[in-house]
Amino acid sequence: MPERLQKLLILDRDGTLNRSRDDYVASPDEWEALPGALEAVARLNQGGWHVVLATNQSGIGRGLFDMASLNAIHAKMHRQLAAVGGRVDAVFFCPHAPEDGCDCRKPAPGLFHQIAARFGIPLANLPAAGNAVRHVQAAAAAGCPAHLLLTGKSEHLRGRLGQGAEADLAVLAPELPPGTQVHDDLDAFADWLLAQEAAETPTLPVAQGATP
C-alpha cells in the first residue's frame, strides 16, 4: 500500500540543495550544500511538509560513478540535514544516460508519476521546485505546480528578473512552462510556501470576554 501523506513537495537536488558541477557530483567529498538550503528543508519540515527529491543522475549510466557512490553521497546529505533538524523522506532518481530513451529522465515526467503513486497524492497537490529548466518542465508535464529557483543552472537570471515576473520570464527563459513561479533560492521558496499556508489558514474568533 502506498504511504499517504497530507503535505508533500518535490525538490531537485543538484543546484537546489547542493552546488552543481559541470563534471557531476560523483563522490561525497564533492557534495556541498548550498548556504541556507538544508535549513530551508528543516523549516518546511517544521511546517508539516514532507520533502522528496527527483533528480537525474546520468553519471551512473555514463559509467562515471556507481550506486555505492550515490548512496554514500545521499548518506552525507541525510546526515547534514539531520544536523539542522531537517529530513528528506525519499530520493527518486533516474540513472539512465540520455540515449537510453527512458521515461524517468527529466524533462520527462516519469519520476513525478512514481512519487505520486508511492505516496498516493494527486500530482496537482505536489508543488515542485528546482533550478533546472528540465525539472520545471517535468513538473509541469506531470501537472505539478512548478517553481523555478534562481540558483545553479538558473543563477544567471538573478537580478534580471523580478519575483514572479512572468512577462520577463517569458522573454529570458521562453522554454519554461507558462505559470512558473520564480524564487531567489530554496530559502525564499520555503518563505513563500509557508506564508501562503498561513494566509489560507482561518483565524479562530476570540470568545467574548476572553483574552486574545
Side-chain angles (χ1 to χ4, degrees):
M1 290 290 292
E3 182 181 355
R4 293 189 178 274
L5 302 175
Q6 293 300 314
K7 293 172 26 174
L8 183 73
L9 63 88
I10 304 169
L11 297 180
D12 194 10
R13 197 195 79 176
D14 298 330
T16 295
L17 276 182
N18 59 280
R19 298 189 188 279
S20 57
R21 297 168 56 105
D22 291 337
D23 59 348
Y24 300 92
V25 177
S27 72
D29 288 343
E30 295 175 350
W31 194 92
E32 181 185 357
L34 287 170
L38 303 185
E39 291 81 1
V41 172
R43 289 197 299 114
L44 288 164
N45 294 154
Q46 290 159 13
W49 285 92
H50 293 259
V51 176
V52 298
L53 303 186
T55 176
N56 287 353
Q57 294 299 322
S58 68
I60 293 175
R62 299 172 196 265
L64 301 177
F65 54 89
D66 57 16
M67 278 300 305
S69 297
L70 186 64
N71 289 337
I73 290 167
H74 289 154
K76 178 181 180 179
M77 177 191 74
H78 288 304
R79 286 194 304 270
Q80 291 194 359
L81 276 165
V84 298
R87 171 187 166 98
V88 163
D89 285 32
V91 180
F92 291 74
F93 65 93
C94 170
H96 304 110
E99 61 270 18
D100 290 337
C102 65
D103 67 353
C104 56
R105 178 175 167 81
K106 298 180 291 184
L111 289 179
F112 294 81
H113 290 296
Q114 290 177 28
I115 292 167
R118 161 81 175 273
F119 292 98
I121 298 178
L123 286 160
N125 294 343
L126 295 176
N131 73 102
V133 169
R134 61 191 174 197
H135 181 88
V136 177
Q137 289 174 330
C144 299
H147 299 263
L148 178 71
L149 308 182
L150 302 183
T151 53
K153 291 180 171 59
S154 295
E155 190 170 9
H156 65 285
L157 295 175
R158 189 177 295 201
R160 303 174 62 196
L161 193 62
Q163 188 83 352
E166 293 186 19
D168 293 338
L169 185 63
V171 173
L172 295 174
E175 68 273 31
L176 285 171
T180 300
Q181 299 208 48
V182 184
H183 312 272
D184 280 343
D185 52 23
L186 185 55
D187 191 49
F189 169 69
D191 283 344
W192 177 88
L193 188 59
L194 294 171
Q196 289 288 110
E197 278 200 301
E200 293 170 1
T201 302
T203 302
L204 295 176
V206 178
Q208 188 173 3
T211 302

